[in-house]
């Protein structure tokens, strides 16, 4: 009888320890989940900021292309009226070949902290 009581007591202690371990693991996993969610939120905020900046840049590119077209038409009129030969640059269409936009040949620098959140 004493042996059975001692065995039951050890069994209850094991179950209590297992329950404590599981509670600790749940707490640890919840903390890890919260950290991951915060990282996801920061990443989404950065993506939205980048999309906004890209939209601004696209609008500026359209505006500058229109200004260049206007200036080219003025140059064409001056050339026609004066008879002087002028070099009128060709305007690339960024929608047809976006990878061939005129730009300086500068490497794009990236840092490791750009991708951390």
């Amino acid at each position: 009888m004493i042996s059975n009581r001692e065995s039951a007591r050890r069994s209850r202690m094991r179950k209590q320890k297992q329950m404590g371990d599981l509670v600790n693991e749940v707490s640890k996993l919840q903390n890890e989940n919260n950290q991951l969610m915060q990282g996801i939120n920061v990443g989404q905020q950065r993506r939205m900021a980048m999309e906004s900046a890209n939209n601004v840049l696209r609008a500026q590119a359209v505006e500058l292309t229109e200004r260049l077209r206007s200036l080219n038409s003025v140059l064409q009129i001056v050339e026609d009226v004066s008879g002087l030969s002028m070099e009128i640059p060709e305007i690339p269409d960024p929608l047809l070949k976006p990878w061939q936009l005129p730009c300086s040949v500068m490497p794009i620098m990236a840092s490791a902290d750009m991708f951390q959140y």
Side-chain angles (χ1 to χ4, degrees), residues 75 78-80 82-88:
L75 283 176
V78 169
E79 184 180 82
D80 292 343
S82 69
L84 295 174
S85 178
M86 297 193 165
E87 186 176 323
I88 300 174

Side-chain angles (χ1 to χ4, degrees), residues 47-112:
R47 181 188 55 81
M48 288 174 22
M50 287 293 195
E51 282 181 5
S52 177
N54 281 342
N55 288 337
V56 168
L57 290 173
R58 283 187 192 104
Q60 288 174 343
V62 168
E63 179 183 341
L64 290 172
T65 301
E66 288 304 314
R67 289 174 65 185
L68 182 58
R69 281 193 179 110
S70 176
L71 290 172
N72 280 352
S73 67
V74 169
L75 283 176
Q76 184 65 47
I77 292 170
V78 169
E79 184 180 82
D80 292 343
V81 170
S82 69
L84 295 174
S85 178
M86 297 193 165
E87 186 176 323
I88 300 174
E90 183 180 328
I91 301 172
D93 188 351
L95 296 177
L96 294 178
K97 297 180 182 176
W99 58 91
Q100 293 180 349
L101 288 176
C103 59
S104 62
V105 182
M106 293 184 70
I108 298 173
M109 302 302 287
S111 63

